[in-house]
Amino acid sequence: MKVDFIDLKRVHEPYLQEIQDAVAAVVASGQYVNGPVVGRFEASFADYTGAPFAIGTSNGTDALSLALMALDIGPGDEVLVPAFTFISPASCVARLGATPVFVDIDEAYGMCPSDMATKIGAKTKAVVAVHLFGQCCDPAVFDVADQAGLPVIEDAAQAVGATHRGEHAGTLGAVGCFSFFPTKNLGALGDAGMLTTSDAALADKLRMLRSHGSKPKYVHHFLGANFRLDPIQAAVLQVKLKYLDGENQKRARNAARYDSELRIAGPVVRAHNVHTFHQYCVKLADRDQVRSSLADMGVSTMIYYPHALTEQPVFSGASPCPRAEATAKQILALPIYPGLTASEQDTVIQAVNERVIL
Ligand SMILES: Cc1ncc(COP(=O)(O)O)c(C=O)c1O
């Protein structure tokens, strides 16, 4: 049996008509930039996460850039970022002329608070903490940042719906950044993102920066750009937000099956966290061989991420982060998406267990 890593058409099947109707309503409205559809989705997202303010953006990368811009990060500043994640946190810092300082990871793939403490210096201005693979990072990251007086930008791109002690990812620090890239747990039909904050002044500044730093239109207080959320994507996301918790429960059910039936250890779930299993990753010494035998059996897998950021040519000269670099050689993501059927999951489990030598 062929098992896809993710099949987005299958994900959308149950609510396709609702999505088509929502898109058609935007087309019929004649308003294709900003407008009530964007405002409504921002309000619903604020409601869902419990964040007092939610500001739609063009994508998750731009949400991170906006957060850094709103905190006045620039040349001469250092920002702590995890060494093992997607490139956006580090690239957004570097594009503003600041220096990303890489922090090693812990056993649950999040920023390691003790390594983080050693990397704080006089030039450190902020921290970007990533809630990788669908669960909140170690809460000690916030304590270490607090003690040093540093604001924490949360990269919750992979963690919509995840909570720590009942509080949503994106509401634990100064500002939360979300991505609605199509494969995310809450995915648009294109690019989209969101910012969350409890700080009214910061929300105001983020809103201005999103639209060329202006308020009102054509009066520019800051150098911003066009980082707006598209209303068609907002309409699609408004429909999909209703189903998010149900879809996350399906991911959790799939993860529980892997946990009990795979002959290898699954992801570490931190205390007091609700994990949303954006990815279900295992570690294997012979990862590449296992991956190619699974591919021969029709099972698709992915590698998030094949290289630590400290190993990227664009960041050459970065100090090594040994755990991040070792993880990149061993990690493998198995299909976990809500559309995965029980018999497809049987195939994955059987294929992995056959291949794993204890
Ligand atoms: C951890 C992380 N941060 C940031 C991003 C960037 O989001 P986007 O692709 O919407 O720009 C992604 C998604 O791809 C991500 O996984």
Side-chain angles (χ1 to χ4, degrees):
M1 176 191 280
K2 185 174 168 293
V3 183
D4 289 326
F5 186 73
I6 186 166
D7 177 352
L8 290 175
K9 290 200 296 287
R10 190 189 288 180
V11 168
H12 290 132
E13 244 162 48
Y15 32 85
L16 196 55
Q17 190 59 53
E18 252 188 288
I19 290 175
Q20 284 171 350
D21 292 347
V23 171
V26 178
V27 174
S29 77
Q31 179 149 12
Y32 308 130
V33 174
N34 292 330
V37 178
V38 172
R40 202 174 315 132
F41 178 58
E42 288 174 335
S44 301
F45 195 79
D47 230 38
Y48 177 78
T49 55
F53 305 99
I55 300 122
T57 63
S58 29
N59 56 59
T61 306
D62 289 344
L64 284 163
S65 287
L66 282 163
L68 292 160
M69 288 160 75
L71 295 175
D72 296 319
I73 301 301
D77 296 337
E78 290 183 355
V79 178
L80 305 189
V81 297
F84 188 74
T85 183
F86 188 58
I87 192 171
S88 292
S91 65
C92 291
V93 169
R95 280 192 299 120
L96 289 171
T99 305
V101 174
F102 295 103
V103 178
D104 215 341
I105 54 166
D106 61 16
E107 73 292 348
Y109 309 118
M111 190 181 254
C112 169
S114 52
D115 191 48
M116 173 191 168
T118 69
K119 306 265 166 91
I120 296 173
K123 294 182 184 167
T124 314
K125 289 287 151 50
V127 179
V128 183
V130 179
H131 302 312
L132 200 69
F133 299 151
Q135 75 165 325
C136 293
C137 69
D138 187 331
V141 163
F142 294 90
D143 300 335
V144 173
D146 266 1
Q147 278 154 25
L150 298 170
V152 178
I153 294 169
E154 295 175 69
D155 179 342
Q158 300 188 7
V160 64
T163 58
H164 177 71
R165 291 187 185 276
E167 305 286 323
H168 272 259
T171 66
L172 308 167
V175 47
C177 304
F178 293 84
S179 165
F180 304 127
F181 184 81
T183 56
K184 296 289 193 270
N185 291 29
L186 178 61
L189 302 188
D191 281 307
M194 186 69 79
L195 287 153
T196 47
T197 183
S198 60
D199 180 330
L202 195 61
D204 208 34
K205 189 170 181 186
L206 288 166
R207 251 186 233 109
M208 283 192 251
L209 285 166
R210 168 181 76 167
S211 284
H212 303 283
S214 62
K215 186 185 174 183
K217 204 173 177 185
Y218 303 126
V219 179
H220 304 276
H221 304 268
F222 312 104
L223 289 177
N226 174 356
F227 295 121
R228 293 184 296 255
L229 171 62
D230 184 295
I232 288 183
Q233 298 307 336
V236 170
L237 291 162
Q238 183 79 49
V239 171
K240 291 187 70 180
L241 183 60
K242 282 192 292 190
Y243 301 103
L244 176 61
D245 285 342
E247 298 291 73
N248 281 347
Q249 276 158 20
K250 289 184 199 161
R251 287 175 183 267
R253 185 198 59 202
N254 293 344
R257 249 202 98 188
Y258 280 144
D259 282 348
S260 66
E261 295 179 39
L262 285 177
R263 292 162 72 195
I264 38 169
V268 174
V269 179
R270 293 187 188 88
H272 312 295
N273 270 5
V274 171
H275 197 314
T276 57
F277 295 99
H278 176 58
Q279 302 300 347
Y280 186 98
C281 293
V282 294
K283 283 210 268 184
L284 298 154
D286 54 348
R287 189 263 318 273
D288 293 335
Q289 293 92 310
V290 173
R291 186 170 192 230
S292 72
S293 353
L294 291 178
D296 291 344
M297 297 183 232
V299 174
S300 299
T301 57
M302 296 292 277
I303 299 175
Y304 301 116
Y305 294 89
H307 309 285
L309 292 172
T310 43
E311 300 171 307
Q312 293 294 348
V314 70
F315 298 125
S316 65
S319 309
C321 286
R323 265 170 282 152
E325 289 142 22
T327 300
K329 292 183 178 60
Q330 297 187 335
I331 199 159
L332 186 68
L334 303 179
I336 186 75
Y337 78 107
L340 191 71
T341 65
S343 56
E344 285 173 334
Q345 199 173 11
D346 289 341
T347 305
V348 180
I349 291 166
Q350 202 184 334
V352 173
N353 283 347
E354 257 174 37
R355 190 54 189 73
V356 169
I357 300 139
L358 293 178

